[in-house]
Amino acid sequence: MRRFVAALGVVAAAAVCVSAPQAHAASGVLVVNGQVYADPHGCYPAGGFFVTVTNNTDRTAYIYPNGGCWGQHEGWVLPGGHASMNGASVFIE
């Protein structure tokens, strides 16, 4: 009986994971060095090694020192925030 209950628990947990909503783009507008991105998702170039970000989305934007959003992020901009710092690319989920 315990095995049956344990198996039922595993099946129930799997069903919850399968029916969970999938990730989607951020809602709102991300501005990277004057370039506006509506409902952004992914990596955006800064066009140099200094970036100004205005984050009017519902997600945190992460600033990377390298192009292509690789390596360790060096800063972030919370939803509704604004920042200027060294950086070559910006990532947002």
Side-chain angles (χ1 to χ4, degrees):
M1 181 67 174
R2 285 185 182 179
R3 287 184 187 172
F4 174 76
V5 172
L8 186 59
V10 170
V11 170
V16 169
C17 291
V18 169
S19 65
Q22 299 298 316
H24 57 78
S27 296
V29 175
L30 180 70
V31 182
V32 178
N33 286 346
Q35 179 68 45
V36 178
Y37 300 98
D39 297 331
H41 178 70
C43 185
Y44 297 93
F49 294 101
F50 191 79
V51 62
T52 298
V53 176
T54 301
N55 183 6
N56 291 321
T57 72
D58 59 349
R59 307 276 175 97
T60 300
Y62 296 93
I63 300 172
Y64 288 82
N66 306 303
C69 298
W70 63 270
Q72 177 66 34
H73 67 269
E74 289 192 351
W76 59 87
V77 183
L78 297 174
H82 177 84
S84 295
M85 64 184 71
N86 290 330
S89 56
V90 179
F91 178 83
I92 192 164
E93 285 186 8

